Amino acid sequence: MTNAIRFHKTGGPEVLAWEQVEVGKPGPGEARIRHTAVGLNFIDIYNRSGLYPVQLPSGLGSEGAGVVEELGEGVTDLKVGDRVAYGSSPLGAYSEARLMPAALLLKLPDEIDDKTAAAMMLKGLTAQYLIRQTYRVKAGETILLHAAAGGVGLILSQWAKHLGVTVIGTVSSDDKAQLAKAHGCEHTIVYSREDFVARVNEITGGKKVPVVYDSVGKDTFLKSLDCLAPLGYAVLFGQSSGTVDPLNLGLLAQKGSLFVTRPTLFTYAARRESLVAMANELFDVVKSGAVKIEVNQTYPLKEAARAHADLAARKTTGSTVLLV
């Protein structure tokens, strides 16, 4: 027997329970891993609250790092004792040990420790597909990024700057503005007191931006469209403020023949070869020092409810890791 965070009904952080579970032996194509660190992400709150429905009772979490304990039949590219991490998995990362499809596990380079890996996989792979695939940013461009001091935001800003891109980041406070600037944002906008549409217009000299990366959703999305140059891309990859209202597609024509997409990591990383290529690019920019992963908060895994409450209250910055 081992322990895991489970929930039997949707709701607030209080529905999370620390329970004994049986993991069992890995089947064909599976690996049993013992976690050392688990990543905390907003999608975990969406799953727990019922915004993203899951079959109950359920485990939680999609990102973690640890060591391979046992391999099932047919797994040839891993061995017992390998350090591995993942950022796209079935729910269940909030656990001391679990079974995983081996195809989703990535061997960790020696230069990247487990805590860093648990903090960077889902967020770093998300940043990769956003700026290298969904809209491939180019040197000399100026882009708009909401929640620039969040986990994805800090990684994406550094990576974009490394690629020669100017990042305008929106944040909720002066402290977060300072943090965002230290991680690649050339310009910051404190949206609680500034009109980010007007500021983007001012910063770009009226040209606006070719892409907006928006993980806030309801509170920002329509204004995000007003920040886009003609033929611009509104990339909605989260909804921390709530679900975006149904969109009148005629607005896209009125505002300049705009594009809107709602991408997910699960789609971009669905094929093993795509996942490995994305991870290798992420590992390279982290190992080079171009992107620094900062774990600004840690909690014991059994205190996941407290971590969820702090994340939802915007008390956290950067990455948060649950330690096993």
Side-chain angles (χ1 to χ4, degrees), residues 40 149-150 176 296-297 299 307 310-320:
L40 174 71
K176 290 191 175 184
N296 292 340
Q297 299 83 210
Y299 301 77
D310 288 351
L311 179 62
R314 301 186 186 276
K315 292 180 179 177
T316 66
T317 58
S319 296
T320 300

Side-chain angles (χ1 to χ4, degrees), residues 142-148 168-171 189 191 194-201 204 207-242 244 247 251-252 254-261:
T142 298
I143 67 174
L144 177 61
L145 170 65
H146 290 303
I168 304 171
T170 71
V171 293
I189 301 169
Y191 63 79
E194 299 177 274
D195 179 343
F196 70 80
V197 177
R199 286 283 288 124
V200 167
N201 211 41
T204 61
K207 293 180 180 178
K208 303 187 178 181
V209 296
V211 62
V212 177
Y213 295 108
D214 189 340
S215 62
V216 177
K218 186 177 181 68
D219 291 352
T220 54
F221 186 70
L222 286 180
K223 287 187 175 182
S224 290
L225 300 182
D226 291 330
C227 296
L228 288 169
L231 307 182
Y233 283 71
V235 181
L236 180 71
F237 67 101
Q239 48 202 47
S240 61
S241 69
V244 174
L247 180 66
L251 284 176
L252 304 180
Q254 295 169 23
K255 294 178 184 295
S257 301
L258 304 179
F259 296 87
V260 173
T261 182

